Amino acid sequence: MPERRTVALVTLGCARNEVDSEELAGRLEADGWQLVEDAEDADVAVVNTCGFVDAAKKDSVDALLEANDLKGHGRTQAVVAVGCMAERYGKELAEALPEADGVLGFDDYANISDRLQTILNGGIHAAHTPRDRRKLLPISPAERQESAAEVALPGHAPVDLPDGLAPASGPRAPLRRRLDGAPVASVKLASGCDRRCSFCAIPSFRGSFISRRPSDVLNETRWLAEQGVKEIMLVSENNTSYGKDLGDIRLLESLLPELAEVDGIERVRVSYLQPAEMRPGLVDVLTSTPKIAPYFDLSFQHSAPDVLRAMRRFGDTDRFLELLDTIRSKAPQAGVRSNFIVGFPGESEADLAELERFLNGARLDAIGVFGYSDEDGTEAATYDNKLDEDVVAERLARVSRLAEELVSQRAEERLGETVHVLVETVDEEGVYGRGAHQAPETDGQVLLTSGEGLSVGRIVEAKVVGTEGVDLVAEPLQGSLACSEEAGR
């Protein structure tokens, strides 16, 4: 019997990329590839790149070069780029980075096994040619579902697959293979975005917004629960738009309670919410449904009206603060996080002061701050009133310092609160997990003062007794291993 082909997937970027990597892993395993964890143990190293901002692009290039260095020193024979950077730049990336043996776009995902085999055999597969993916689907959202089967949508593989293609995990198995044993997993709710923020290039290479069928989301969640997952995080470029192409803009409000009822799932988290699209009914569901985390990942980006208009976004400081007041009136312990861009073209000192006013009043649990930089193909890149790089850097440092102080203060406000902690690591360094107000990797964690009787995947009720910056220290309550409907609240 010939030796099995081996492949390693190296994933950079966001949770959406992680889902895409697990779909690629499912396709490859179904076609006989052996998945290995380390690139040095693989015949082919597949790097799932990020193409969002300059720092992420650099990390992607570094990962490709690092994998390329393995060639000739171990098993690795080929390095292949996939993901957003490969989709966005295609041939340009291939020419600039000859170390990559292949640059594959989303259209190659359905045939990923054949593509890798060709490259492994020494053949050449033409580098992906980028195109504006917004033009692949009808302008009208209502007409998109009929065309969806003809467009590559990573992470949207149907759950009801032909025999021999789905992993042998049961009748509901999606075309997905988990790449870790973590008790939390992301589920793709939709792809693409119809918003036209002037600073963002994502719609051009991720395409127009299109929802997954609720049945696929539910069945994939059931499958993940069978794999031991306790928390799912719904991801897309804009979860508040879910259902608009399925004839029901309020579809998320009806889907969430169904997801919360899946056996084995203790917590459902929703990410990527647009403030301008928040609906009272959605706020109600997120703050009152058992097992749905009262968690709001709101994409504010700024709060000064003039800057927001230049960004082609909506809102202002007072409206945003009113939204937060509404949320906390319904769920005082709700978690809220957001990202902000400083140094946007035309941003004045008064605009920056307005942003600082918002941050001081918002009591956010986690804050990401980025300095503006031009992104290829965006409207903002053509603006004339750019700020000097040193001004952008100074404002970035200034707002970042403020953000660090504010999230530490917010953590201190939680002293004495009772939190439900999903245990994620138990080792000699301690027992760590996350409360309902903390998303994976971005929002801090909770150190439990005692690990007796605890294991990964359990939810424990604990009292916050200390803070370390954004992180919390909590003491498990007596008899607090929680498996009830209230565990995720």
Side-chain angles (χ1 to χ4, degrees):
M1 173 180 284
E3 188 174 8
R4 292 189 71 185
R5 303 162 295 177
T6 56
V7 60
L9 285 137
V10 180
T11 306
L12 294 98
C14 64
R16 301 184 294 272
N17 257 16
E18 294 172 4
V19 175
D20 296 348
S21 285
E22 293 197 349
E23 181 188 302
L24 291 174
R27 291 183 181 278
L28 290 166
E29 187 172 69
D31 202 44
W33 290 77
Q34 179 182 351
L35 295 158
V36 296
E37 184 173 345
D38 297 323
E40 61 185 355
D41 298 325
D43 297 316
V44 183
V46 177
V47 180
N48 192 348
T49 60
C50 178
F52 183 38
V53 294
D54 286 343
K57 296 174 198 173
K58 182 182 183 301
D59 289 343
S60 296
V61 170
D62 289 345
L64 287 163
L65 293 174
E66 182 179 344
N68 181 71
D69 289 342
L70 297 173
K71 292 192 291 190
H73 301 285
R75 180 163 184 153
T76 309
Q77 301 174 52
V79 177
V80 175
V82 299
C84 290
M85 190 175 182
E87 174 65 36
R88 184 176 181 184
Y89 295 104
K91 291 182 177 180
E92 182 181 343
L93 177 62
E95 292 170 359
L97 199 69
E99 291 86 353
D101 299 288
V103 176
L104 307 180
F106 298 151
D107 293 334
D108 292 305
Y109 281 22
N111 304 110
I112 187 67
S113 178
D114 291 342
R115 301 288 188 264
L116 296 190
Q117 189 63 61
T118 295
I119 294 168
L120 188 59
N121 290 343
I124 297 175
H125 181 73
H128 163 68
T129 300
R131 53 180 172 167
D132 188 340
R133 299 193 73 84
R134 290 172 293 191
K135 299 178 179 179
L136 301 183
L137 290 168
I139 294 176
S140 170
E143 299 175 2
R144 290 177 189 164
Q145 289 290 329
E146 293 182 5
S147 305
E150 303 170 8
V151 177
L153 297 169
H156 281 236
V159 176
D160 301 322
L161 294 162
D163 291 341
L165 186 59
S169 308
R172 289 192 301 267
L175 191 55
R176 178 174 181 174
R177 197 269 204 185
R178 296 217 67 205
L179 294 174
D180 62 40
V184 59
S186 296
V187 175
K188 187 75 73 76
L189 192 62
S191 285
C193 186
D194 288 341
R195 303 186 71 87
R196 293 297 179 262
C197 301
S198 62
F199 56 84
C200 184
I202 289 177
S204 67
F205 58 85
R206 277 290 185 177
S208 298
F209 184 89
I210 187 162
S211 306
R212 291 183 73 195
R213 293 182 302 170
S215 59
D216 282 346
V217 177
L218 276 164
N219 284 333
E220 186 166 331
T221 299
R222 293 182 182 115
W223 176 79
L224 287 167
E226 292 169 358
Q227 310 302 304
V229 170
K230 299 300 180 183
E231 175 182 322
I232 63 163
M233 183 166 73
L234 300 178
V235 299
S236 75
E237 279 72 24
N238 178 8
N239 281 334
T240 32
S241 281
Y242 180 70
K244 72 175 187 179
D245 53 322
L246 294 171
D248 185 0
I249 191 60
R250 294 176 177 80
L251 190 56
L252 184 56
E253 286 93 308
S254 58
L255 176 61
L256 285 171
E258 293 186 67
L259 291 169
E261 292 176 359
V262 171
D263 288 343
I265 296 298
E266 296 295 338
R267 180 183 291 160
V268 178
R269 184 182 305 278
V270 184
S271 63
Y272 305 111
L273 301 169
Q274 285 290 339
E277 297 181 30
M278 289 300 295
R279 305 174 291 276
L282 180 56
V283 172
D284 288 343
V285 170
L286 289 171
T287 55
S288 65
T289 308
K291 294 190 179 181
I292 302 297
Y295 174 80
F296 294 80
D297 176 10
L298 293 163
S299 178
F300 289 120
Q301 301 300 343
H302 213 283
S303 73
D306 289 346
V307 176
L308 287 168
R309 303 305 174 266
M311 290 179 168
R312 299 208 178 278
R313 297 177 65 84
F314 305 94
D316 56 46
T317 295
D318 293 332
R319 275 189 276 184
F320 290 164
L321 291 176
E322 183 180 353
L323 171 61
L324 296 178
D325 286 344
T326 298
I327 290 169
R328 291 182 174 126
S329 70
K330 298 175 181 294
Q333 293 187 354
V336 186
R337 77 157 343 265
S338 191
N339 293 324
F340 300 88
I341 298 173
V342 297
F344 193 79
E347 181 190 62
S348 66
E349 278 289 342
D351 293 329
L352 192 65
E354 185 69 0
L355 173 59
E356 290 172 329
R357 181 171 82 88
F358 171 69
L359 292 174
N360 277 295
R363 298 169 55 229
L364 302 178
D365 292 276
I367 301 171
V369 187
F370 301 88
Y372 173 82
S373 62
D374 288 338
E375 281 295 310
D376 298 334
T378 63
E379 180 184 354
T382 69
Y383 289 176
D384 294 328
N385 49 350
K386 305 275 176 54
L387 304 185
D388 290 341
E389 289 185 8
D390 58 342
V391 174
V392 176
E394 186 277 328
R395 292 184 179 184
L396 173 61
R398 169 178 156 184
V399 177
S400 295
R401 287 193 299 269
L402 175 63
E404 186 174 348
E405 294 173 6
L406 292 173
V407 296
S408 295
Q409 291 174 15
R410 178 66 181 127
E412 290 173 359
E413 290 180 15
R414 292 191 179 275
L415 287 170
E417 284 187 3
T418 297
V419 292
H420 291 88
V421 181
L422 173 64
V423 178
E424 294 186 311
T425 60
V426 178
D427 55 31
E428 63 276 1
E429 296 183 2
V431 179
Y432 289 88
R434 289 176 299 101
H437 70 284
Q438 297 168 313
E441 300 182 6
T442 60
D443 299 348
Q445 58 186 352
V446 180
L447 168 64
L448 293 171
T449 59
S450 172
E452 183 178 356
L454 299 181
S455 58
V456 171
R458 299 301 298 268
I459 289 185
V460 58
E461 190 177 46
K463 180 180 180 180
V464 179
V465 296
T467 66
E468 297 177 0
V470 69
D471 298 328
L472 305 180
V473 179
E475 178 181 337
L477 300 178
Q478 189 69 28
S480 63
L481 291 180
C483 296
S484 68
E485 286 191 345
E486 293 296 316
R489 301 280 313 133

